[in-house]
Amino acid sequence: MRTRWILFFGAAMLAGALGGSLLGPAPVGAVAREIIELQTGVNQLIQGQQALQMAITQDSAVQRTLIEQSMDSVNKLSTSMAAVQKNTQDLSANSGARLDTMGTQVQGLSDNVADLQARLGKLDQKLTDIQNTLQNVDSKIASPGSAPPPAATYNSPGPGPGPSSSAAPPSGGAPPMSSAAPPASADVLYSNGLRDINGRHYELATQEFQDYLKFYSDTDLASNAQFYLGEIAFMQNQFQQALDAYNKVIENFPKSFKLASARMRKGYCLAELGQKAAAIRELRTVVRQYPGTDEAKRSAAKLKELGATVG
């Protein structure tokens, strides 16, 4: 269209020049020269228009190529973002269970360290007592005229065959057996329970922690045993049973250092059981009563997951 107008304009100028030359008194040479100049100008205009059209065509091709490359980059980026989003969702789905298992294992290791420290303290005291005893024996042996300690005998209050009521039982007698004797010591039961819960031998760990509570319910680690019964049920998705176990920690052991964890887990169980309002109340209690702790942070994250505010 633009070329057509340029040609039309050039033709009009040429026709005007010809008409002027025919009507005016200008000499023939001047008219011919003007015609030549007009033709030259028209040719230059045509060449300029062709060059402009070629430049526009080249620019259009370059822009089309750039647009296609940009679209390819956008499509690749969209595919990559979709893959990243899927990986993030999968990681988020698996991280909760992994964190719960790791938290249980860390708690078990912490309890083992505390138990080992207590044992080392007892052993150190026993070694000190043994050393003192040996020093006393050495001093008695080194002193002149010392006599060895008399052997233990069973004295009776008077002549007679029977021993006194304060005497130890005869060597041939056996102590009375209890019908409910513990299967192992408190330390062995507790250590075995931690070992089996970390090894995912849940039935065996449950029996060991139940025995611990049965025979050693007045020890410092009894609340831990009760808490781990809840953990075993929680890891097996037995949320009502886990809730009952955590409630026993809260009710029966109000000074337990597992109290914050028990309350947090209680909130988790309530959420899994569909009791959202109760779960939110319990988790907010953890955030409010135990600020700055790991349990408070995890409770806040769970509140966000449930669509509730922390406050």
Side-chain angles (χ1 to χ4, degrees):
M1 180 64 71
R2 184 179 299 174
T3 305
R4 187 181 300 171
W5 279 105
I6 293 173
L7 293 175
F8 179 77
F9 179 71
M13 291 178 64
L14 181 61
L18 290 174
S21 65
L22 292 175
L23 295 176
V28 178
V31 172
R33 187 171 57 253
E34 290 179 357
I35 291 173
I36 293 173
E37 291 177 354
L38 286 173
Q39 288 177 346
T40 303
V42 170
N43 291 331
Q44 290 177 351
L45 287 173
I46 292 172
Q47 291 175 358
Q49 191 273 339
Q50 290 176 350
L52 179 61
Q53 186 175 4
M54 185 179 296
I56 292 173
T57 302
Q58 292 177 352
D59 290 343
S60 299
V62 171
Q63 290 178 0
R64 187 180 298 109
T65 302
L66 291 175
I67 291 173
E68 290 176 355
Q69 291 176 352
S70 299
M71 290 298 295
D72 291 340
S73 299
V74 169
N75 291 333
K76 292 179 181 179
L77 180 60
S78 299
T79 304
S80 300
M81 289 297 296
V84 170
Q85 185 176 7
K86 185 177 183 302
N87 291 334
T88 302
Q89 291 175 351
D90 295 341
L91 180 62
S92 177
N94 296 330
S95 61
R98 291 180 180 177
L99 285 175
D100 292 338
T101 302
M102 291 177 61
T104 301
Q105 292 177 351
V106 170
Q107 289 175 346
L109 291 174
S110 176
D111 293 338
N112 279 336
V113 171
D115 186 46
L116 287 174
Q117 288 177 344
R119 291 184 181 182
L120 288 174
K122 293 179 180 178
L123 288 175
D124 184 64
Q125 183 62 41
K126 288 182 179 180
L127 288 174
T128 301
D129 295 340
I130 292 173
Q131 186 177 6
N132 293 333
T133 302
L134 290 176
Q135 289 176 351
N136 293 333
V137 171
D138 290 339
S139 62
K140 290 181 180 179
I141 293 175
S143 61
S146 60
T153 57
Y154 299 101
N155 297 323
S156 62
S164 66
S165 58
S166 60
S171 59
M177 297 297 293
S178 172
S179 60
S185 66
D187 293 339
V188 172
L189 269 179
Y190 189 82
S191 299
N192 290 344
L194 289 178
R195 178 200 62 203
D196 290 327
I197 193 175
N198 290 327
R200 298 186 179 182
H201 305 302
Y202 295 135
E203 293 184 3
L204 186 57
T206 298
Q207 184 61 51
E208 287 161 344
F209 285 126
Q210 287 177 345
D211 288 341
Y212 191 95
L213 289 172
K214 179 178 179 181
F215 296 104
Y216 307 105
S217 60
D218 56 346
T219 62
D220 295 335
L221 295 176
S223 63
N224 292 23
Q226 181 63 59
F227 175 79
Y228 286 126
L229 288 175
E231 292 289 271
I232 293 171
F234 187 88
M235 287 185 286
Q236 294 178 303
N237 296 329
Q238 299 172 357
F239 299 114
Q240 184 59 54
Q241 184 176 346
L243 178 63
D244 296 338
Y246 295 134
N247 278 330
K248 289 182 180 179
V249 176
I250 297 170
E251 295 169 1
N252 299 338
F253 306 96
K255 295 183 179 180
S256 171
F257 66 89
K258 294 290 187 185
L259 199 59
S261 298
R263 284 192 174 277
M264 179 194 71
R265 288 297 206 190
K266 179 181 178 180
Y268 283 16
C269 291
L270 290 171
E272 295 291 343
L273 293 172
Q275 303 179 31
K276 184 176 179 179
I280 292 173
R281 286 196 301 271
E282 194 67 33
L283 293 171
R284 283 176 176 170
T285 300
V286 176
V287 174
R288 185 175 61 255
Q289 293 186 358
Y290 308 97
T293 62
D294 181 65
E295 288 81 1
K297 296 177 183 177
R298 294 173 65 183
S299 297
K302 188 66 174 180
L303 285 169
K304 184 177 180 181
E305 180 183 331
L306 294 174
T309 58
V310 176

